[in-house]
Protein backbone atom coordinates (compact mmCIF):
# COMPACT_ATOMS: atom_id res chain seq x y z
CA UNK A 1 0.00 0.00 0.00
CA UNK A 2 1.37 3.44 -0.84
CA UNK A 3 2.17 5.93 1.93
CA UNK A 4 -0.74 8.11 0.83
CA UNK A 5 -3.19 5.19 0.89
CA UNK A 6 -2.10 4.04 4.34
CA UNK A 7 -2.31 7.61 5.62
CA UNK A 8 -5.83 7.85 4.24
CA UNK A 9 -6.73 4.55 5.88
CA UNK A 10 -5.37 5.74 9.22
CA UNK A 11 -7.29 8.99 8.93
CA UNK A 12 -10.51 7.15 8.11
CA UNK A 13 -10.04 4.86 11.12
CA UNK A 14 -9.33 7.82 13.37
CA UNK A 15 -12.42 9.66 12.14
CA UNK A 16 -14.56 6.57 12.71
CA UNK A 17 -13.13 6.22 16.23
CA UNK A 18 -13.86 9.89 16.77
CA UNK A 19 -17.48 9.52 15.67
CA UNK A 20 -17.99 6.41 17.80
CA UNK A 21 -16.39 8.07 20.79
CA UNK A 22 -18.68 11.05 20.42
CA UNK A 23 -21.75 8.86 20.04
CA UNK A 24 -20.82 6.77 23.07
CA UNK A 25 -20.23 9.72 25.33
CA UNK A 26 -22.87 12.08 24.01
CA UNK A 27 -20.12 14.64 23.55
CA UNK A 28 -20.72 17.19 20.85
CA UNK A 29 -17.44 19.01 21.25
CA UNK A 30 -13.80 18.46 21.94
CA UNK A 31 -11.55 19.05 24.88
CA UNK A 32 -9.31 22.01 24.49
CA UNK A 33 -5.60 21.40 24.35
CA UNK A 34 -3.19 24.07 25.39
CA UNK A 35 -0.24 25.10 23.32
CA UNK A 36 1.88 23.43 26.01
CA UNK A 37 -0.04 20.14 25.52
CA UNK A 38 0.65 20.26 21.82
CA UNK A 39 4.26 21.22 22.30
CA UNK A 40 4.72 18.37 24.79
CA UNK A 41 3.56 16.06 22.03
CA UNK A 42 5.96 17.68 19.63
CA UNK A 43 3.32 19.95 18.10
CA UNK A 44 0.97 19.17 15.28
CA UNK A 45 2.46 17.20 12.39
CA UNK A 46 4.13 19.43 9.80
CA UNK A 47 1.64 18.55 7.07
CA UNK A 48 -1.03 20.34 9.07
CA UNK A 49 1.00 23.48 9.49
CA UNK A 50 0.03 26.55 7.51
CA UNK A 51 1.78 26.47 4.18
CA UNK A 52 2.72 22.78 4.26
CA UNK A 53 1.36 20.40 1.63
CA UNK A 54 0.82 17.04 3.26
CA UNK A 55 2.99 14.03 3.87
CA UNK A 56 4.83 14.47 0.58
CA UNK A 57 5.96 17.92 1.69
CA UNK A 58 7.21 16.50 4.99
CA UNK A 59 9.08 13.67 3.31
CA UNK A 60 10.72 15.89 0.73
CA UNK A 61 11.73 18.56 3.26
CA UNK A 62 13.96 17.17 5.95
CA UNK A 63 14.80 20.70 7.10
CA UNK A 64 14.07 21.23 10.80
CA UNK A 65 13.09 24.82 10.03
CA UNK A 66 9.43 24.17 9.45
CA UNK A 67 6.66 26.68 9.70
CA UNK A 68 5.96 28.08 13.15
CA UNK A 69 3.38 25.99 15.03
CA UNK A 70 -0.18 27.13 14.62
CA UNK A 71 -1.36 28.92 17.73
CA UNK A 72 -3.80 26.85 19.77
CA UNK A 73 -7.11 28.59 20.19
CA UNK A 74 -6.82 27.85 23.90
CA UNK A 75 -3.20 28.80 24.29
CA UNK A 76 -2.27 30.96 27.26
CA UNK A 77 -2.78 34.54 26.30
CA UNK A 78 -5.42 33.69 23.70
CA UNK A 79 -8.90 35.11 23.85
CA UNK A 80 -10.01 32.03 25.81
CA UNK A 81 -7.76 32.83 28.71
CA UNK A 82 -8.23 36.53 29.02
CA UNK A 83 -11.13 38.85 28.43
CA UNK A 84 -11.26 39.45 24.73
CA UNK A 85 -10.16 42.91 23.78
CA UNK A 86 -13.13 45.08 22.95
CA UNK A 87 -14.32 43.92 19.57
CA UNK A 88 -16.27 47.02 18.68
CA UNK A 89 -14.76 50.03 17.06
CA UNK A 90 -15.64 53.23 18.86
CA UNK A 91 -18.86 54.59 17.54
CA UNK A 92 -19.79 51.47 15.65
CA UNK A 93 -23.34 50.36 15.99
CA UNK A 94 -22.51 46.71 15.58
CA UNK A 95 -19.86 44.30 16.70
CA UNK A 96 -16.27 44.43 15.60
CA UNK A 97 -14.48 41.41 14.19
CA UNK A 98 -13.30 38.59 16.38
CA UNK A 99 -9.54 38.53 16.74
CA UNK A 100 -8.18 36.90 13.65
CA UNK A 101 -6.88 33.38 14.11
CA UNK A 102 -4.24 32.72 11.53
CA UNK A 103 -4.53 28.97 11.64
CA UNK A 104 -4.84 26.75 8.61
CA UNK A 105 -8.06 24.70 8.65
CA UNK A 106 -6.05 21.47 8.57
CA UNK A 107 -4.37 22.26 11.86
CA UNK A 108 -7.76 22.26 13.59
CA UNK A 109 -8.42 18.79 12.27
CA UNK A 110 -5.01 17.58 13.39
CA UNK A 111 -5.38 19.21 16.76
CA UNK A 112 -8.88 17.80 17.16
CA UNK A 113 -7.76 14.33 16.30
CA UNK A 114 -4.92 14.50 18.78
CA UNK A 115 -7.26 15.77 21.49
CA UNK A 116 -9.76 13.01 20.83
CA UNK A 117 -7.09 10.33 20.86
CA UNK A 118 -5.54 11.68 24.06
CA UNK A 119 -8.90 12.00 25.82
CA UNK A 120 -9.97 8.51 24.72
CA UNK A 121 -6.66 7.08 25.92
CA UNK A 122 -7.23 8.66 29.31
CA UNK A 123 -10.70 7.12 29.34
CA UNK A 124 -12.34 10.52 29.70
CA UNK A 125 -16.04 10.47 29.09
CA UNK A 126 -16.58 14.22 29.07
CA UNK A 127 -14.01 16.87 28.35
CA UNK A 128 -13.70 19.54 31.00
CA UNK A 129 -14.13 22.23 28.44
CA UNK A 130 -14.60 22.40 24.74
CA UNK A 131 -13.27 24.06 21.71
CA UNK A 132 -14.78 24.01 18.30
CA UNK A 133 -12.64 22.46 15.61
CA UNK A 134 -14.01 23.87 12.39
CA UNK A 135 -12.04 26.72 10.90
CA UNK A 136 -13.28 30.16 11.87
CA UNK A 137 -15.55 31.86 9.41
CA UNK A 138 -14.44 34.87 7.50
CA UNK A 139 -15.32 37.87 9.65
CA UNK A 140 -16.40 41.02 7.90
CA UNK A 141 -14.85 44.37 8.79
CA UNK A 142 -16.95 46.36 11.27
CA UNK A 143 -18.49 48.78 8.79
CA UNK A 144 -19.44 46.02 6.36
CA UNK A 145 -20.91 43.91 9.10
CA UNK A 146 -22.86 46.82 10.47
CA UNK A 147 -24.25 47.50 7.01
CA UNK A 148 -25.07 43.81 6.49
CA UNK A 149 -26.93 43.65 9.82
CA UNK A 150 -28.87 46.80 8.97
CA UNK A 151 -29.90 45.45 5.60
CA UNK A 152 -30.87 42.12 7.19
CA UNK A 153 -32.96 44.04 9.72
CA UNK A 154 -34.73 45.82 6.86
CA UNK A 155 -35.35 42.46 5.17
CA UNK A 156 -36.85 41.10 8.39
CA UNK A 157 -39.05 44.18 8.77
CA UNK A 158 -40.63 43.44 5.38
CA UNK A 159 -40.97 39.69 5.95
CA UNK A 160 -44.31 37.97 5.36
CA UNK A 161 -42.97 34.43 5.26
CA UNK A 162 -45.40 33.12 7.89
CA UNK A 163 -48.74 34.00 9.36
CA UNK A 164 -47.24 35.88 12.32
CA UNK A 165 -46.72 38.96 10.18
CA UNK A 166 -50.47 39.56 10.10
CA UNK A 167 -50.78 40.23 13.81
CA UNK A 168 -47.48 41.93 14.62
CA UNK A 169 -47.10 45.60 15.46
CA UNK A 170 -43.52 45.43 14.21
CA UNK A 171 -40.69 42.95 13.85
CA UNK A 172 -38.18 42.53 16.69
CA UNK A 173 -34.65 42.09 15.38
CA UNK A 174 -31.99 42.35 18.11
CA UNK A 175 -30.42 44.49 20.74
CA UNK A 176 -26.85 44.93 21.99
CA UNK A 177 -23.46 44.89 20.34
CA UNK A 178 -22.09 41.43 21.12
CA UNK A 179 -18.65 42.90 21.84
CA UNK A 180 -17.92 40.38 24.61
CA UNK A 181 -18.62 37.44 22.32
CA UNK A 182 -21.87 36.32 23.95
CA UNK A 183 -25.24 36.05 22.26
CA UNK A 184 -28.44 35.28 24.18
CA UNK A 185 -31.19 33.68 22.12
CA UNK A 186 -34.80 33.61 23.28
CA UNK A 187 -38.05 32.32 21.83
CA UNK A 188 -39.89 35.27 20.36
CA UNK A 189 -41.27 38.70 21.21
CA UNK A 190 -44.01 39.20 23.78
CA UNK A 191 -46.36 42.16 24.09
CA UNK A 192 -43.72 44.62 25.35
CA UNK A 193 -41.23 43.61 22.69
CA UNK A 194 -43.88 43.86 19.98
CA UNK A 195 -44.70 47.37 21.18
CA UNK A 196 -41.10 48.58 21.47
CA UNK A 197 -39.47 46.66 18.61
CA UNK A 198 -36.68 45.36 20.88
CA UNK A 199 -36.16 41.89 22.37
CA UNK A 200 -36.36 41.20 26.09
CA UNK A 201 -37.65 44.54 27.32
CA UNK A 202 -40.54 43.21 29.44
CA UNK A 203 -40.40 41.53 32.84
CA UNK A 204 -38.40 38.54 31.57
CA UNK A 205 -36.05 40.99 29.87
CA UNK A 206 -35.52 42.90 33.10
CA UNK A 207 -34.53 39.65 34.79
CA UNK A 208 -32.24 38.80 31.86
CA UNK A 209 -30.56 42.20 32.29
CA UNK A 210 -29.98 41.37 35.96
CA UNK A 211 -28.47 38.02 35.00
CA UNK A 212 -26.17 39.75 32.52
CA UNK A 213 -25.24 42.33 35.17
CA UNK A 214 -24.47 39.55 37.66
CA UNK A 215 -22.05 38.14 35.10
CA UNK A 216 -20.16 41.43 35.27
CA UNK A 217 -21.32 42.37 31.78
CA UNK A 218 -23.20 45.34 30.45
CA UNK A 219 -26.51 44.65 28.70
CA UNK A 220 -25.23 46.41 25.58
CA UNK A 221 -22.07 44.31 25.43
CA UNK A 222 -24.02 41.16 24.61
CA UNK A 223 -26.14 40.45 21.54
CA UNK A 224 -29.75 39.44 22.15
CA UNK A 225 -32.09 37.99 19.56
CA UNK A 226 -34.95 35.52 19.21
CA UNK A 227 -35.82 32.46 17.15
CA UNK A 228 -38.88 34.23 15.70
CA UNK A 229 -39.05 37.93 14.99
CA UNK A 230 -42.79 38.47 15.27
CA UNK A 231 -44.97 38.08 18.36
CA UNK A 232 -47.04 34.90 18.37
CA UNK A 233 -50.64 35.79 19.31
CA UNK A 234 -51.38 35.51 23.03
CA UNK A 235 -47.70 34.77 23.61
CA UNK A 236 -48.14 31.18 22.51
CA UNK A 237 -45.08 29.14 21.61
CA UNK A 238 -44.19 29.57 17.93
CA UNK A 239 -45.31 26.74 15.65
CA UNK A 240 -42.70 24.63 13.87
CA UNK A 241 -43.51 26.17 10.48
CA UNK A 242 -43.17 29.67 11.96
CA UNK A 243 -39.82 28.76 13.47
CA UNK A 244 -38.51 27.27 10.27
CA UNK A 245 -39.70 30.25 8.24
CA UNK A 246 -37.82 32.59 10.57
CA UNK A 247 -34.75 30.83 11.94
CA UNK A 248 -32.71 31.55 8.81
CA UNK A 249 -32.65 35.21 9.85
CA UNK A 250 -31.14 34.29 13.21
CA UNK A 251 -28.57 32.10 11.48
CA UNK A 252 -27.56 35.02 9.30
CA UNK A 253 -27.37 37.27 12.37
CA UNK A 254 -25.08 34.75 14.08
CA UNK A 255 -22.94 34.47 10.94
CA UNK A 256 -22.40 38.21 11.07
CA UNK A 257 -22.05 38.65 14.83
CA UNK A 258 -19.79 35.59 15.26
CA UNK A 259 -20.27 35.07 19.01
CA UNK A 260 -17.92 32.78 20.90
CA UNK A 261 -20.80 31.50 23.02
CA UNK A 262 -24.55 31.33 22.51
CA UNK A 263 -26.75 31.10 25.59
CA UNK A 264 -29.96 29.35 24.49
CA UNK A 265 -32.78 30.51 26.73
CA UNK A 266 -35.38 27.77 27.02
CA UNK A 267 -36.52 24.82 24.96
CA UNK A 268 -37.64 26.78 21.89
CA UNK A 269 -34.24 28.45 21.55
CA UNK A 270 -32.50 25.08 21.89
CA UNK A 271 -34.83 23.54 19.32
CA UNK A 272 -34.36 26.39 16.86
CA UNK A 273 -30.57 26.41 17.20
CA UNK A 274 -29.77 22.73 17.55
CA UNK A 275 -32.78 21.03 16.02
CA UNK A 276 -33.40 18.90 19.07
CA UNK A 277 -36.69 18.72 20.93
CA UNK A 278 -35.11 17.27 24.08
CA UNK A 279 -36.43 18.85 27.25
CA UNK A 280 -34.58 21.87 28.59
CA UNK A 281 -34.35 20.29 32.05
CA UNK A 282 -32.14 17.54 30.63
CA UNK A 283 -30.24 19.79 28.27
CA UNK A 284 -29.42 22.72 30.53
CA UNK A 285 -25.89 23.04 31.77
CA UNK A 286 -24.50 20.76 29.04
CA UNK A 287 -22.37 22.33 26.36
CA UNK A 288 -23.43 21.76 22.76
CA UNK A 289 -22.13 23.09 19.48
CA UNK A 290 -23.97 25.22 16.96
CA UNK A 291 -22.92 24.31 13.42
CA UNK A 292 -20.06 22.28 14.91
CA UNK A 293 -18.35 25.50 15.75
CA UNK A 294 -19.90 27.83 18.32
CA UNK A 295 -20.34 26.72 21.94
CA UNK A 296 -23.97 26.71 23.07
CA UNK A 297 -25.04 26.71 26.70
CA UNK A 298 -28.70 25.72 27.06
CA UNK A 299 -30.35 27.13 30.16
CA UNK A 300 -33.77 28.04 31.51
CA UNK A 301 -35.71 30.95 30.03
CA UNK A 302 -35.98 33.98 32.34
CA UNK A 303 -39.79 33.80 32.07
CA UNK A 304 -39.56 30.35 33.68
CA UNK A 305 -37.35 31.82 36.41
CA UNK A 306 -40.05 34.39 37.16
CA UNK A 307 -42.39 31.47 37.86
CA UNK A 308 -39.79 29.22 39.50
CA UNK A 309 -37.20 31.42 41.21
CA UNK A 310 -35.50 28.39 42.80
CA UNK A 311 -34.14 27.49 39.35
CA UNK A 312 -32.05 30.69 39.34
CA UNK A 313 -29.34 28.78 41.16
CA UNK A 314 -28.95 26.36 38.23
CA UNK A 315 -28.98 29.16 35.69
CA UNK A 316 -26.27 30.93 37.62
CA UNK A 317 -24.12 27.79 37.41
CA UNK A 318 -24.66 27.78 33.62
CA UNK A 319 -23.74 31.44 33.32
CA UNK A 320 -20.60 30.92 35.39
CA UNK A 321 -19.62 28.13 32.97
CA UNK A 322 -20.08 30.63 30.13
CA UNK A 323 -17.77 33.11 31.86
CA UNK A 324 -15.17 30.40 32.42
CA UNK A 325 -15.39 29.40 28.76
CA UNK A 326 -14.77 33.00 27.76
CA UNK A 327 -11.87 33.27 30.21
CA UNK A 328 -13.64 36.07 32.05
CA UNK A 329 -13.64 36.53 35.82
CA UNK A 330 -16.36 34.60 37.63
CA UNK A 331 -17.97 36.77 40.33
CA UNK A 332 -17.63 35.18 43.75
CA UNK A 333 -15.05 32.63 42.62
CA UNK A 334 -11.98 32.21 44.80
CA UNK A 335 -8.83 33.54 43.23
CA UNK A 336 -5.90 31.53 44.50
N1 LIG B 1 -39.22 36.19 25.66
C1 LIG B 1 -38.45 35.88 24.60
O1 LIG B 1 -38.15 34.71 24.37
N2 LIG B 1 -38.00 36.84 23.85
C2 LIG B 1 -38.27 38.11 24.08
O2 LIG B 1 -37.80 38.94 23.34
C3 LIG B 1 -39.07 38.43 25.19
C4 LIG B 1 -39.54 37.45 25.96
Amino acid sequence: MSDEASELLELTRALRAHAEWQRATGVMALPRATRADLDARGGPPPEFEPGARGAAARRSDPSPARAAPAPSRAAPGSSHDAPAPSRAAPGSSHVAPAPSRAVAPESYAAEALEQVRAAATRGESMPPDLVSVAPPRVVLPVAERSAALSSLQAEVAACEACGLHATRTQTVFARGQGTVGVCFVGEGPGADEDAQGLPFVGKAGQLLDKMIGAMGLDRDEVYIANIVKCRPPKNRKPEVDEMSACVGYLRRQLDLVQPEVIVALGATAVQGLLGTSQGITRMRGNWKLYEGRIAVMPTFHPAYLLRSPAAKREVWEDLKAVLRHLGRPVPGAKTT
Side-chain angles (χ1 to χ4, degrees):
M1 200 185 295
S2 70
D3 280 356
E4 279 79 7
S6 62
E7 193 175 355
L8 192 61
L9 187 63
E10 198 205 328
L11 189 61
T12 310
R13 283 197 184 120
L15 284 172
R16 177 172 299 154
H18 172 185
E20 284 169 2
W21 182 79
Q22 286 205 309
R23 193 173 50 192
T25 58
V27 171
M28 294 180 71
L30 297 163
R32 67 166 76 186
T34 62
R35 180 73 260 160
D37 289 339
L38 287 172
D39 288 342
R41 291 197 295 268
E47 64 265 40
F48 292 120
E49 300 288 339
R53 287 182 317 274
R58 184 182 43 191
R59 279 191 304 278
S60 64
D61 178 14
S63 156
R66 58 190 176 113
S72 160
R73 302 176 79 200
S78 78
S79 62
H80 282 288
D81 296 291
S86 171
R87 297 202 287 160
S92 80
S93 62
H94 291 302
V95 290
S100 82
R101 296 170 177 124
V103 181
E106 296 89 343
S107 66
Y108 285 93
E111 200 173 303
L113 219 50
E114 280 302 303
Q115 292 171 30
V116 169
R117 280 188 185 133
T121 309
R122 291 193 299 268
E124 278 176 12
S125 59
M126 186 68 193
D129 203 341
L130 54 83
V131 62
S132 57
V133 294
R137 291 243 178 89
V138 175
V139 179
L140 290 176
V142 180
E144 269 178 62
R145 179 156 39 175
S146 178
L149 282 166
S150 297
S151 95
L152 181 56
Q153 182 166 8
E155 205 182 312
V156 166
C159 180
E160 299 189 351
C162 80
L164 293 181
H165 80 273
T167 49
R168 74 184 176 213
T169 303
Q170 58 192 314
T171 54
V172 174
F173 187 67
R175 74 171 164 95
Q177 307 288 314
T179 46
V180 289
V182 185
C183 180
F184 288 84
V185 173
E187 178 175 294
D192 293 308
E193 292 76 21
D194 178 67
Q196 294 187 42
L198 290 168
F200 282 100
V201 289
K203 285 216 171 73
Q206 285 155 23
L207 179 54
L208 178 60
D209 285 346
K210 282 191 190 155
M211 288 156 54
I212 293 165
M215 293 170 80
L217 304 175
D218 189 274
R219 71 199 285 269
D220 292 328
E221 289 180 313
V222 302
Y223 192 81
I224 304 178
N226 282 310
I227 298 290
V228 297
K229 310 296 190 223
C230 298
R231 181 192 179 198
K234 298 186 183 154
N235 294 348
R236 65 162 168 76
K237 185 176 156 5
E239 305 285 355
V240 171
D241 62 323
E242 294 159 351
M243 287 169 66
S244 51
C246 207
V247 78
Y249 293 127
L250 177 67
R251 301 186 94 82
R252 286 163 66 191
Q253 285 172 288
L254 294 172
D255 277 356
L256 292 165
V257 172
Q258 295 278 343
E260 288 207 30
V261 178
I262 301 169
V263 181
L265 300 167
T268 303
V270 171
Q271 190 179 349
L273 287 164
L274 305 174
T276 168
S277 49
Q278 263 195 3
I280 187 66
T281 308
R282 280 191 64 187
M283 299 272 293
R284 70 138 283 278
N286 294 304
W287 286 110
K288 301 290 173 200
L289 279 181
Y290 168 75
E291 293 198 336
R293 193 174 60 87
I294 300 177
V296 176
M297 173 55 77
T299 196
F300 293 128
H301 193 287
Y304 172 74
L305 297 183
L306 291 172
R307 300 191 299 274
S308 309
K312 285 182 188 170
R313 186 187 299 265
E314 287 154 294
V315 171
W316 181 232
E317 291 306 315
D318 302 342
L319 297 181
K320 285 195 293 187
V322 168
L323 289 171
R324 281 193 294 272
H325 183 81
L326 291 168
R328 296 190 71 93
V330 177
K334 281 194 192 116
T335 47
T336 48

